[in-house]
Amino acid sequence: EDWYGNWLGYSVVERGNISKELAASWGTPAMAGRPYLLMQPESGDDVYIRAAEIDPVPNYKPLTTYGWGSFELVIEDVYALNQRLLKGPFEIIGPPQSIGPDYPTIHAMQVVGPSQEVLYLTCDIGDPAESLLPPPGAAVGRDFIMVLSGLADVSIAHDFYVEKFRMEPGEPRQTAVDIIANALRLPEGEGLWMTFIPFRQPANFLEIDGYPSPAAKPRPVNEGQLPPGCALASFGVEALSQIDVEWLGPAAVETSMNYAGKPSAALRGPAGEIIELIEELS
């Protein structure tokens, strides 16, 4: 609450305890009764970050395991934010810079937060009317990309999402990502396979990064709890009945403002990531 409120401009819009039903739907029964915070960007966009309490996981290191690797937030001016964060508690693991010649106006930095979660902080210094990014609406805006730390063969996760959720296919490409290479202790300049998949709503994407084995490993987790770092991602779907998957538990119906009484259920993806789906038609 302190880090996200004082340094990123997020505010707590709800606090409570994880219900037994919600914990069961995630396949994490030991989360029942754990406190959580629901935080919203200053823009007021209804895309939230939820923090839920888990027990410490010894020796967990971000960007070294499979699962959700990062939340990517849209920023008004990443260079101005960097100057601010230099005085704060976030660990800056990647200073702001252009992401490369393919997208010269998109600039980003990366930080690690209080729970070893990684945030990509990204802005577009070009013409807003031509940007692929959503308008930030504040100095720090909403999450617009979920970054998946996937298996080395990115086609495994790519094909899973495209086939299960009828998403538009992306094009794999190989690129060097310094912060991942440093975390995994890969040879300098070694490229990783990655791909982007657009969601139906514009300016929202899934990024899949291919993590090589044995450098990367499954994420350690306390029995019955959510994993450390970026634990799960929630997405809207038209109807849960349209999704042909094996659910982790029975669907839950929550009154929390990020569910608004709509049923939700969760499944596990090919990299071990927990995917929560919220029914939009009910």
Side-chain angles (χ1 to χ4, degrees):
E1 180 175 359
D2 175 67
W3 288 32
Y4 279 74
N6 291 332
W7 299 97
L8 300 181
Y10 272 59
S11 59
V12 175
V13 292
E14 183 178 278
R15 62 182 80 230
N17 298 89
I18 303 295
S19 72
K20 181 179 179 180
E21 292 74 19
L22 187 60
S25 76
W26 296 340
T28 58
M31 293 302 300
R34 298 264 176 166
Y36 75 87
L37 300 174
L38 194 67
M39 295 173 281
Q40 186 176 37
E42 191 178 357
S43 64
D45 287 332
D46 60 347
V47 180
Y48 307 102
I49 290 178
R50 175 173 49 194
E53 179 193 87
I54 63 170
D55 295 328
V57 177
N59 302 319
Y60 170 65
K61 184 180 178 183
L63 300 179
T64 63
T65 62
Y66 304 118
W68 294 116
S70 174
F71 305 146
E72 186 158 356
L73 312 183
V74 62
I75 306 300
E76 190 172 69
D77 182 341
V78 73
Y79 291 92
L81 180 63
N82 177 65
Q83 290 301 310
R84 174 174 170 77
L85 294 184
L86 285 171
K87 306 170 186 176
F90 283 93
E91 178 189 359
I92 298 173
I93 57 173
Q97 59 183 328
S98 168
I99 67 170
D102 291 340
Y103 302 98
T105 65
I106 298 181
H107 292 228
M109 66 180 294
Q110 299 83 30
V111 303
V112 178
S115 300
Q116 295 297 292
E117 76 280 13
V118 176
L119 301 179
Y120 289 11
L121 307 171
T122 305
C123 76
D124 194 332
I125 65 173
D127 183 353
E130 298 179 1
S131 179
L132 296 173
L133 279 56
V140 179
R142 67 173 177 86
D143 186 3
F144 74 107
I145 296 180
M146 286 303 307
V147 183
L148 178 64
S149 304
L151 306 175
D153 183 357
V154 294
S155 67
I156 296 174
H158 171 276
D159 294 350
F160 175 86
Y161 282 88
V162 169
E163 293 169 7
K164 291 294 183 183
F165 307 124
R166 300 190 295 276
M167 299 175 72
E168 292 293 327
E171 290 292 333
R173 58 189 178 92
Q174 197 170 29
T175 186
V177 183
D178 290 343
I179 60 169
I180 297 175
N182 292 339
L184 293 175
R185 299 182 179 178
L186 301 177
E188 185 176 352
E190 180 171 323
L192 300 174
W193 284 100
M194 64 189 310
T195 189
F196 287 85
I197 304 176
F199 289 98
R200 185 168 67 183
Q201 188 177 33
N204 293 275
F205 304 91
L206 172 66
E207 175 184 335
I208 303 171
D209 298 335
Y211 277 34
S213 176
K217 294 176 172 54
R219 187 164 304 179
V221 59
N222 295 313
E223 184 175 357
Q225 297 183 23
L226 289 172
C230 300
L232 65 76
S234 304
F235 306 101
V237 294
E238 289 185 349
L240 295 176
S241 60
Q242 297 176 0
I243 309 297
D244 181 19
V245 297
E246 182 177 342
W247 302 110
L248 291 171
V253 179
E254 297 287 313
T255 57
S256 171
M257 65 186 299
N258 58 315
Y259 299 101
K262 300 173 182 177
S264 66
L267 63 141
R268 197 171 292 279
E273 73 276 21
I274 300 176
I275 307 162
E276 182 179 58
L277 304 179
I278 303 172
E279 187 168 289
E280 300 289 352
L281 288 184
S282 58

